[in-house]
Amino acid sequence: MNHRLPAFWAVIPAAGIGARMAADRPKQYLQLGGRTILEHSLGCFLDHPSLKGLVVSLAVDDPYWPHLACAADPRIQRADGGSERSGSVLNALLQLNALGASDDDWVLVHDAARPNLSRDDLDKLLAELADDPVGGLLAVPARDTLKRVDKHGRVIETVDRSLIWQAYTPQMFRLGALHRALADSLVADAVITDEASAVEWSGQAPRLIEGRSDNIKVTRPEDLEWLRLRWANRL
Ligand SMILES: Nc1ccn([C@@H]2O[C@H](COP(=O)(O)OP(=O)(O)OP(=O)(O)O)[C@@H](O)[C@H]2O)c(=O)n1
Ligand SMILES: C[C@](O)(CO)[C@H](O)COP(=O)(O)O
C-alpha cells in the first residue's frame, strides 16, 4: 500500500429530502449524539490535514444550514443542489473549478447521510488509490444470501454473491474525469446513482476498496435508531 496520502477536495451532496426517512426535516439535519448527521459527515474531512477545501450542495431554500457552526468555516463553499444526487454533485464540481481546482486534483464525494465514516477508512481509500489511474470507492462485500425475485416477490433464483459488493462513499476520482463522466452520462440520460456509475458509463473500471460495513447511509428510521444506540454506548 502507498502510505503517502494525496491532497484532495471533498464534495458533500446534502440536498436530498429524505423521503424514505419521512422525518420532520431532511435526514441530514436530524440529531445524532449532540450534532446533526451532516456535521458528523463533514467532520471526518474537516479534521483531515490533506483537505484542500470542501463544497457542500444544499437545497436552494435550505433553512437549516445557516444555524450550524460549520456554516462559517472558510474552508466550506456552498453549491446549489440539483433535482437528483448526480446534479448536486455536478454543481459542486463546477464550484471546485471556480475555486481553482485543476483537472488532475483528487475529489472525494461523500453522502451527507453517512455520518459514521472512520478516519482509518478514509486514509485507507486515499492511500490505496493515490497512484491509481482511474480511482475508486469504499465498498463492502455482500454478506447475506441474495435472491432474484419476480415482480410479485417470489424467488426466481439464489444469486452467486461471490462477486457482488455494495457501493459506499467516499468515492474518489480525478476532478476532470469525474466532471466529464457525470456531465456526459446525464446528457445521455443514463441511470447514475453514484460517481462510480458515471465513470463506468465512460468506459473506465473504478477499483473497490473494502471498508467497514458500519459506514452506513441513513436511509430509513431504523438506521438512525441503530446509530444512536452505537453513539450512546460510546459515551
Ligand atoms: N437531489 C439530491 C438527492 C440526494 N442528495 C444527497 O445524496 C445523498 C444520498 O442520497 P439518499 O440517501 O437517496 O438521500 P435522499 O435523496 O435525501 O433520500 P430519499 O431518496 O429517501 O429521498 C444524501 O446525502 C442526499 O442529501 C443530494 O444532494 N441531492
Ligand atoms: C451513492 C450511494 O450512497 C452509494 O451507495 C447511493 O447510491 C446513493 O443513495 P440511493 O439510495 O441509491 O439514492
Side-chain angles (χ1 to χ4, degrees), residues 121-140:
D121 266 9
L122 177 53
D123 283 354
K124 183 178 179 185
L125 182 77
L126 288 164
E128 293 272 8
L129 296 180
D131 298 321
D132 195 275
V134 178
L137 58 145
L138 287 180
V140 296

Side-chain angles (χ1 to χ4, degrees), residues 13-20 27-28 82-85 88 111-113 217:
I17 59 170
R20 288 168 288 182
K27 60 194 179 187
Q28 55 272 25
S83 56
E84 306 285 339
R85 181 183 179 283
S88 299
D111 292 325
K217 180 162 71 66

Side-chain angles (χ1 to χ4, degrees), residues 53-58 65 73-79 95 99:
L54 186 153
V55 178
V56 59
S57 305
L58 300 169
W65 171 258
D73 190 318
R75 295 169 299 169
I76 304 180
Q77 303 289 319
R78 291 179 60 153
Q95 183 77 18
L99 291 174

Side-chain angles (χ1 to χ4, degrees), residues 12-22 26-28 37-38 41 57-59 80-89 110-114 169 193 217-220:
I12 310 290
I17 59 170
R20 288 168 288 182
M21 195 72 191
K27 60 194 179 187
Q28 55 272 25
I37 287 176
L38 175 56
S41 303
S57 305
L58 300 169
D80 287 342
S83 56
E84 306 285 339
R85 181 183 179 283
S86 49
S88 299
V89 172
H110 182 61
D111 292 325
R114 285 191 198 270
T169 70
T193 54
K217 180 162 71 66
V218 176
T219 304
R220 298 180 187 278

Side-chain angles (χ1 to χ4, degrees), residues 42-75:
L42 290 166
C44 206
F45 295 91
L46 294 173
D47 289 343
H48 203 286
S50 302
L51 179 75
K52 295 176 87 164
L54 186 153
V55 178
V56 59
S57 305
L58 300 169
V60 176
D61 55 356
D62 183 329
Y64 304 102
W65 171 258
H67 299 289
L68 303 187
C70 59
D73 190 318
R75 295 169 299 169

Side-chain angles (χ1 to χ4, degrees), residues 37-230:
I37 287 176
L38 175 56
E39 288 172 289
H40 287 292
S41 303
L42 290 166
C44 206
F45 295 91
L46 294 173
D47 289 343
H48 203 286
S50 302
L51 179 75
K52 295 176 87 164
L54 186 153
V55 178
V56 59
S57 305
L58 300 169
V60 176
D61 55 356
D62 183 329
Y64 304 102
W65 171 258
H67 299 289
L68 303 187
C70 59
D73 190 318
R75 295 169 299 169
I76 304 180
Q77 303 289 319
R78 291 179 60 153
D80 287 342
S83 56
E84 306 285 339
R85 181 183 179 283
S86 49
S88 299
V89 172
L90 194 53
N91 288 348
L93 299 184
L94 288 167
Q95 183 77 18
L96 284 183
N97 281 322
L99 291 174
S102 68
D103 277 3
D104 284 341
D105 285 352
W106 286 115
V107 182
L108 272 64
V109 182
H110 182 61
D111 292 325
R114 285 191 198 270
N116 202 32
L117 172 65
S118 70
R119 174 63 181 270
D120 281 353
D121 266 9
L122 177 53
D123 283 354
K124 183 178 179 185
L125 182 77
L126 288 164
E128 293 272 8
L129 296 180
D131 298 321
D132 195 275
V134 178
L137 58 145
L138 287 180
V140 296
R143 38 169 48 192
D144 299 305
T145 299
L146 298 177
K147 307 289 185 190
R148 196 162 70 82
V149 298
D150 65 18
K151 62 182 178 189
H152 307 294
R154 194 161 287 280
V155 175
I156 297 170
E157 63 172 349
T158 298
V159 176
D160 175 9
R161 66 179 148 170
S162 62
L163 296 176
I164 305 287
W165 288 59
Q166 283 182 255
Y168 275 28
T169 70
Q171 305 204 355
M172 170 170 164
F173 295 100
R174 301 276 183 192
L175 173 60
L178 179 58
H179 191 172
R180 276 190 300 279
L182 266 177
D184 292 351
S185 57
L186 290 178
V187 167
D189 219 13
V191 176
I192 299 300
T193 54
D194 65 352
E195 292 59 58
S197 46
V199 172
E200 293 153 37
W201 182 90
S202 76
Q204 304 269 53
R207 217 176 113 209
L208 299 185
I209 304 300
E210 183 166 357
R212 289 179 59 96
S213 61
D214 59 3
N215 175 23
I216 62 165
K217 180 162 71 66
V218 176
T219 304
R220 298 180 187 278
E222 61 266 31
D223 302 326
L224 185 53
E225 285 163 22
W226 183 81
L227 280 173
R228 281 180 173 156
L229 277 175
R230 296 245 349 224

